[in-house]
Amino acid sequence: MKTMKAVVKYDNVAGATEVREVPVPSIGPDDVLVETAYIGICGSDPHMHHNKVSYKVNVPLILGHEFAGVIAEVGANVTGWKVGDRVTSETHADYCGKCVMCRTNNYHVCRERKGYGFQIDGAFAKYVRVPSRILHKVPDNVSLKEAALTEPLCVAYSSLVKHSPLKPGDLAVIIGPGPIGLLCTKIASILGASDIVVVGTDGDDARMEIAKKLGATMTINSSQQDPVPIIMGMRDGYGANLVVDAAGFSPTLKLSLDVVRPCGQINKIGWGPGPVGFSLDQLISKAATLQGTFSHNWDVWEKCLVLMGERTVDLGEVITHELPLDQWQKGFDLMETKEGLKIVLTPVE
């Protein structure tokens, strides 16, 4: 039996994560086996390591859901793919394909959906099993390192393009300059928002500089300045057409309510398992929309890969560190201390 090294969360308690020798996945007739080249660390990965999530992970389980690599083996029923193809993959490792959500291209919220690194073994390893229906070809001029970050770009694209009314000339506020917030900044710029305000806190200085490169027209450190009077003092004084809460905590949702324009929209991407602790009545008095956005679909992946292939988006701008897989904990630490922005891991023998 062939084995490989993988980062495994083995219990739903804090710190129960380690490198283990595990079997190389076997594939079914409709699957391919992908040899990973790069795997991105998502903010949810350290949270799961510390057991600070509102859901239970299906332990023991290999973490990781952002990856790209090369096809090493093809199942008997698979057509259109061959060994050696450069690919990336959606995170929806399984879904029923039959329910009303799946039939309306909303399989990302199928009740039977199982995500890589949450309910099914993920990609913090040398190999990962991938159903061929969620594979995507990496453009020739896009590196596999960049392609490993297609997933967070898809989160930003899906939120701002599919699920927001953002238009050229609009004022957008993006709260939280982590990877998702920064990619939302880039998408807002592509969509033509004239004013893009990115709000961060102490320790976000380097991230704010990247935000400016990606299209932010103003950055605000909320630890030193109150963003509300600044944003409400812009333009006609009514606030932002779109507020993106990419942080997810109660105070950032409150800030979103304070600065959203009447009849405007708040897109909540960041998870916040704690109680809100304040009234949501501003949604009513402002006739504003609170839109939750989650994950992505096949069409979003294809469009994001086009943007990457045309160099409209350069995901290399958000990659700060590359580490071998057995230094996963250093990668987690770099992300949590904000020393790193996007960290990619490479498999080890």
Side-chain angles (χ1 to χ4, degrees):
M1 180 179 66
K2 292 183 178 180
T3 63
M4 61 181 183
K5 287 184 170 61
V7 178
V8 176
K9 180 173 174 61
Y10 55 88
D11 197 2
N12 278 306
V13 297
T17 311
E18 65 184 11
V19 174
R20 289 185 173 182
E21 198 79 23
V22 301
V24 171
S26 58
I27 64 170
D30 298 312
D31 303 328
V32 304
L33 186 68
V34 173
E35 181 177 355
T36 60
Y38 295 92
I39 314 104
I41 297 176
C42 174
S44 64
D45 294 320
H47 289 163
M48 286 189 287
H49 170 58
H50 296 303
N51 214 43
K52 292 182 177 179
V53 290
S54 58
Y55 47 85
K56 282 194 174 182
V57 180
N58 187 25
V59 294
L61 171 123
I62 300 170
L63 296 178
H65 59 270
E66 305 172 4
F67 63 97
V70 175
I71 294 178
E73 185 181 342
V74 177
N77 295 342
V78 174
T79 59
W81 300 100
K82 65 183 186 301
V83 172
D85 283 349
R86 301 166 72 246
V87 295
T88 184
S89 166
E90 298 173 41
T91 58
H92 320 297
D94 195 19
Y95 52 91
C96 78
K98 300 174 183 178
C99 71
V100 63
M101 292 295 105
C102 289
R103 288 172 183 267
T104 54
N105 194 38
N106 290 306
Y107 55 87
H108 62 301
V109 287
C110 169
R111 287 175 179 165
E112 302 301 317
R113 177 190 179 274
K114 294 179 177 64
Y116 281 121
F118 298 93
Q119 294 91 18
I120 285 181
D121 280 335
F124 280 0
K126 188 171 179 61
Y127 295 97
V128 60
R129 179 192 68 85
V130 181
S132 60
R133 66 181 176 180
I134 58 170
L135 277 178
H136 295 269
K137 184 180 186 300
V138 176
D140 292 340
N141 63 331
V142 174
S143 70
L144 290 176
K145 184 188 292 189
E146 294 172 77
L149 304 188
T150 309
E151 194 271 344
L153 177 62
C154 289
V155 171
Y157 184 105
S158 184
S159 182
L160 270 70
V161 178
K162 290 192 75 172
H163 299 292
S164 95
L166 193 67
K167 297 178 178 64
D170 278 353
L171 165 58
V173 173
I174 296 164
I175 305 170
I180 298 296
L182 291 175
L183 293 174
C184 286
T185 302
K186 182 62 178 180
I187 296 295
S189 178
I190 292 170
L191 290 173
S194 293
D195 292 294
I196 304 172
V197 180
V198 175
V199 181
T201 60
D202 282 345
D204 285 332
D205 292 352
R207 296 180 175 200
M208 296 294 211
E209 290 305 310
I210 295 174
K212 293 174 184 175
K213 293 178 182 177
L214 295 176
T217 57
M218 178 188 294
T219 60
I220 302 172
N221 181 340
S222 62
S223 299
Q224 299 177 12
Q225 293 178 291
D226 183 356
V228 177
I230 298 172
I231 295 167
M232 298 306 292
M234 298 175 68
R235 298 192 177 189
D236 59 10
Y238 272 105
N241 301 91
L242 176 70
V243 183
V244 178
D245 180 2
F249 305 108
S250 175
T252 57
L253 181 57
K254 178 63 170 65
L255 174 59
S256 302
L257 287 168
D258 289 341
V259 301
V260 70
R261 185 181 188 86
C263 302
Q265 182 167 310
I266 300 166
N267 276 19
K268 191 176 190 310
I269 303 176
W271 294 79
V276 173
F278 57 86
S279 171
L280 297 177
D281 282 354
Q282 281 192 89
L283 284 174
I284 302 168
S285 64
K286 290 187 173 184
T289 299
L290 177 59
Q291 173 72 54
T293 64
F294 169 71
S295 200
H296 30 66
N297 308 94
W298 188 91
D299 55 321
V300 169
W301 278 74
E302 287 295 299
K303 289 172 183 175
C304 284
L305 286 162
V306 169
L307 291 176
M308 293 159 63
E310 293 182 348
R311 312 314 293 173
T312 304
V313 177
D314 180 2
L315 291 175
E317 293 180 308
V318 298
I319 298 172
T320 56
H321 296 80
E322 177 185 328
L323 299 170
L325 187 69
D326 53 8
Q327 292 186 30
W328 62 272
Q329 191 154 11
K330 179 180 178 182
F332 285 13
D333 292 342
L334 286 167
M335 178 168 282
E336 292 181 295
T337 60
K338 299 184 180 181
E339 292 179 63
L341 179 56
K342 203 64 190 175
I343 298 103
V344 294
L345 302 174
T346 55
V348 294
E349 298 294 340

Short mmCIF file of all heavy atoms in Angstrom, two decimals, residues 224-247:
data_model
loop_
_atom_site.label_atom_id
_atom_site.label_comp_id
_atom_site.label_asym_id
_atom_site.label_seq_id
_atom_site.Cartn_x
_atom_site.Cartn_y
_atom_site.Cartn_z
N GLN A 224 -7.27 53.39 15.28
CA GLN A 224 -6.78 54.76 15.49
C GLN A 224 -7.79 55.82 15.07
O GLN A 224 -7.73 56.96 15.56
CB GLN A 224 -5.47 54.94 14.71
CG GLN A 224 -4.36 54.01 15.16
CD GLN A 224 -3.09 54.16 14.34
OE1 GLN A 224 -2.93 55.11 13.57
NE2 GLN A 224 -2.16 53.21 14.49
N GLN A 225 -8.70 55.48 14.18
CA GLN A 225 -9.70 56.43 13.71
C GLN A 225 -11.06 55.76 13.65
O GLN A 225 -11.15 54.56 13.31
CB GLN A 225 -9.36 56.94 12.30
CG GLN A 225 -8.11 57.80 12.21
CD GLN A 225 -7.86 58.20 10.76
OE1 GLN A 225 -7.51 57.37 9.92
NE2 GLN A 225 -8.07 59.48 10.44
N ASP A 226 -12.10 56.49 13.97
CA ASP A 226 -13.46 55.98 13.82
C ASP A 226 -13.84 56.06 12.34
O ASP A 226 -13.91 57.16 11.77
CB ASP A 226 -14.42 56.81 14.66
CG ASP A 226 -15.86 56.29 14.61
OD1 ASP A 226 -16.12 55.33 13.86
OD2 ASP A 226 -16.71 56.87 15.30
N PRO A 227 -14.08 54.91 11.71
CA PRO A 227 -14.39 54.95 10.27
C PRO A 227 -15.72 55.61 9.94
O PRO A 227 -15.90 56.11 8.82
CB PRO A 227 -14.43 53.47 9.87
CG PRO A 227 -13.78 52.73 10.99
CD PRO A 227 -14.02 53.53 12.22
N VAL A 228 -16.66 55.61 10.89
CA VAL A 228 -18.01 56.06 10.58
C VAL A 228 -18.06 57.51 10.09
O VAL A 228 -18.59 57.79 9.00
CB VAL A 228 -18.97 55.84 11.77
CG1 VAL A 228 -20.36 56.39 11.44
CG2 VAL A 228 -19.06 54.37 12.12
N PRO A 229 -17.53 58.50 10.85
CA PRO A 229 -17.61 59.88 10.35
C PRO A 229 -16.83 60.09 9.05
O PRO A 229 -17.21 60.94 8.23
CB PRO A 229 -17.04 60.71 11.50
CG PRO A 229 -16.27 59.78 12.34
CD PRO A 229 -16.92 58.45 12.20
N ILE A 230 -15.76 59.34 8.87
CA ILE A 230 -14.97 59.48 7.64
C ILE A 230 -15.79 59.03 6.44
O ILE A 230 -15.92 59.74 5.44
CB ILE A 230 -13.65 58.69 7.74
CG1 ILE A 230 -12.79 59.22 8.88
CG2 ILE A 230 -12.89 58.76 6.41
CD1 ILE A 230 -11.56 58.38 9.16
N ILE A 231 -16.36 57.83 6.54
CA ILE A 231 -17.14 57.29 5.43
C ILE A 231 -18.42 58.08 5.20
O ILE A 231 -18.77 58.41 4.05
CB ILE A 231 -17.46 55.80 5.67
CG1 ILE A 231 -16.15 54.98 5.68
CG2 ILE A 231 -18.42 55.26 4.61
CD1 ILE A 231 -16.29 53.57 6.22
N MET A 232 -19.09 58.46 6.30
CA MET A 232 -20.34 59.21 6.16
C MET A 232 -20.09 60.66 5.73
O MET A 232 -21.02 61.37 5.33
CB MET A 232 -21.14 59.17 7.46
CG MET A 232 -21.56 57.77 7.86
SD MET A 232 -22.46 56.86 6.57
CE MET A 232 -23.99 57.81 6.52
N GLY A 233 -18.84 61.09 5.77
CA GLY A 233 -18.48 62.42 5.29
C GLY A 233 -18.12 62.45 3.82
O GLY A 233 -17.83 63.51 3.25
N MET A 234 -18.15 61.28 3.19
CA MET A 234 -17.81 61.21 1.77
C MET A 234 -19.04 61.47 0.90
O MET A 234 -20.17 61.18 1.29
CB MET A 234 -17.22 59.82 1.44
CG MET A 234 -15.93 59.51 2.18
SD MET A 234 -15.33 57.82 1.90
CE MET A 234 -14.86 57.91 0.17
N ARG A 235 -18.81 62.02 -0.24
CA ARG A 235 -19.84 62.23 -1.26
C ARG A 235 -21.05 62.97 -0.70
O ARG A 235 -20.91 64.04 -0.11
CB ARG A 235 -20.23 60.89 -1.88
CG ARG A 235 -19.08 60.18 -2.59
CD ARG A 235 -19.63 59.04 -3.40
NE ARG A 235 -18.61 58.36 -4.16
CZ ARG A 235 -18.88 57.46 -5.06
NH1 ARG A 235 -20.13 57.13 -5.32
NH2 ARG A 235 -17.90 56.88 -5.73
N ASP A 236 -22.25 62.35 -0.83
CA ASP A 236 -23.46 63.05 -0.41
C ASP A 236 -23.83 62.80 1.04
O ASP A 236 -24.87 63.23 1.52
CB ASP A 236 -24.63 62.67 -1.32
CG ASP A 236 -24.92 61.17 -1.32
OD1 ASP A 236 -24.34 60.44 -0.49
OD2 ASP A 236 -25.73 60.71 -2.16
N GLY A 237 -22.97 62.05 1.77
CA GLY A 237 -23.21 61.84 3.19
C GLY A 237 -24.17 60.73 3.54
O GLY A 237 -24.54 60.56 4.71
N TYR A 238 -24.58 59.94 2.54
CA TYR A 238 -25.53 58.87 2.82
C TYR A 238 -24.87 57.51 3.05
O TYR A 238 -25.52 56.56 3.47
CB TYR A 238 -26.55 58.75 1.68
CG TYR A 238 -27.75 59.64 1.86
CD1 TYR A 238 -27.88 60.81 1.10
CD2 TYR A 238 -28.75 59.34 2.77
CE1 TYR A 238 -28.98 61.64 1.25
CE2 TYR A 238 -29.85 60.16 2.94
CZ TYR A 238 -29.97 61.31 2.18
OH TYR A 238 -31.06 62.13 2.34
N GLY A 239 -23.57 57.40 2.74
CA GLY A 239 -22.87 56.15 3.02
C GLY A 239 -22.59 55.33 1.79
O GLY A 239 -22.72 55.78 0.64
N ALA A 240 -22.20 54.07 2.04
CA ALA A 240 -21.69 53.19 0.99
C ALA A 240 -22.81 52.45 0.28
O ALA A 240 -23.74 51.95 0.89
CB ALA A 240 -20.71 52.19 1.58
N ASN A 241 -22.68 52.34 -1.05
CA ASN A 241 -23.61 51.52 -1.83
C ASN A 241 -23.50 50.05 -1.43
O ASN A 241 -24.50 49.34 -1.36
CB ASN A 241 -23.33 51.65 -3.32
CG ASN A 241 -23.42 53.09 -3.80
OD1 ASN A 241 -22.42 53.80 -3.81
ND2 ASN A 241 -24.61 53.52 -4.20
N LEU A 242 -22.27 49.61 -1.19
CA LEU A 242 -22.03 48.23 -0.80
C LEU A 242 -20.99 48.19 0.31
O LEU A 242 -19.95 48.84 0.22
CB LEU A 242 -21.51 47.40 -1.98
CG LEU A 242 -21.14 45.95 -1.66
CD1 LEU A 242 -22.40 45.12 -1.35
CD2 LEU A 242 -20.36 45.30 -2.80
N VAL A 243 -21.30 47.43 1.36
CA VAL A 243 -20.33 47.16 2.43
C VAL A 243 -20.08 45.66 2.43
O VAL A 243 -21.03 44.86 2.45
CB VAL A 243 -20.85 47.61 3.80
CG1 VAL A 243 -19.77 47.36 4.86
CG2 VAL A 243 -21.26 49.06 3.79
N VAL A 244 -18.82 45.28 2.39
CA VAL A 244 -18.45 43.87 2.45
C VAL A 244 -17.82 43.60 3.81
O VAL A 244 -16.78 44.16 4.15
CB VAL A 244 -17.46 43.50 1.33
CG1 VAL A 244 -17.05 42.03 1.44
CG2 VAL A 244 -18.05 43.78 -0.04
N ASP A 245 -18.47 42.75 4.60
CA ASP A 245 -17.93 42.35 5.89
C ASP A 245 -17.15 41.06 5.70
O ASP A 245 -17.72 39.97 5.72
CB ASP A 245 -19.06 42.17 6.91
CG ASP A 245 -18.54 41.75 8.29
OD1 ASP A 245 -17.32 41.64 8.47
OD2 ASP A 245 -19.39 41.52 9.18
N ALA A 246 -15.84 41.21 5.50
CA ALA A 246 -14.98 40.05 5.29
C ALA A 246 -14.31 39.61 6.58
O ALA A 246 -13.49 38.69 6.57
CB ALA A 246 -13.92 40.38 4.24
N ALA A 247 -14.67 40.26 7.70
CA ALA A 247 -14.09 39.90 9.00
C ALA A 247 -15.04 39.00 9.78
O ALA A 247 -14.63 37.98 10.35
CB ALA A 247 -13.77 41.16 9.80
#
